[in-house]
Amino acid sequence: KPPAQVKNFVAQVIILSHPGKIRKGYSPVHDCHTAHISCKWETLQKKMDKRSGKVKEENPEFLKSGDAALVEIVPSKGLCVESFKEFPPLGRFAVRDMRVTVAVGVIKSVV
């Protein structure tokens, strides 16, 4: 089946380098396959351990460099993505802000 336009998606992201704290409402550009679209980080669901995947904190207030988290993301306009499990090429993305890659992520589920 062809990928459909999504309303929002939940992704596991790893913050590589960001000078400050990332809070809900953060709206960077997401590069997924050939799309470059601004998306809003609606809710920070869980802060996790990068290696084991164990939950460190539920509903964290902010994220900083080196953190891994589950985040609900809402695209500002139409975006066609799939979960990483369904179709890996459309399930990964890079997060860019100020012309620098600040995070990378994989999509866990789409709505």
Side-chain angles (χ1 to χ4, degrees):
K1 75 177 173 73
Q5 186 171 310
V6 298
K7 289 187 174 71
N8 63 359
F9 57 92
V10 174
Q12 182 178 350
V13 295
I14 296 175
I15 313 301
L16 302 174
S17 62
H18 191 274
K21 295 177 178 174
I22 295 174
R23 301 178 188 277
K24 73 178 190 175
Y26 179 55
S27 296
V29 172
H30 288 62
D31 293 346
C32 182
H33 206 250
T34 58
H36 309 287
I37 293 179
S38 175
C39 298
K40 183 178 177 187
W41 291 23
E42 195 68 36
T43 52
L44 308 178
Q45 294 179 348
K46 299 173 184 171
K47 194 185 286 189
M48 306 161 76
D49 184 89
K50 275 194 286 194
R51 301 201 190 287
S52 67
K54 287 186 181 150
V55 176
K56 284 185 179 177
E57 185 183 343
E58 294 278 348
N59 301 313
E61 196 175 307
F62 63 87
L63 302 172
K64 57 189 187 324
S65 291
D67 284 346
L70 273 181
V71 182
E72 182 185 340
I73 300 171
V74 179
S76 61
K77 55 185 180 183
L79 178 63
C80 293
V81 292
E82 287 286 351
S83 71
F84 184 76
K85 202 183 280 182
E86 297 255 329
F87 190 67
L90 287 179
R92 331 182 165 89
F93 59 90
V95 178
R96 295 176 56 81
D97 197 4
M98 305 165 288
R99 294 188 173 181
V100 176
T101 301
V102 295
V104 291
V106 293
I107 297 170
K108 294 291 188 185
S109 63
V110 294
V111 177

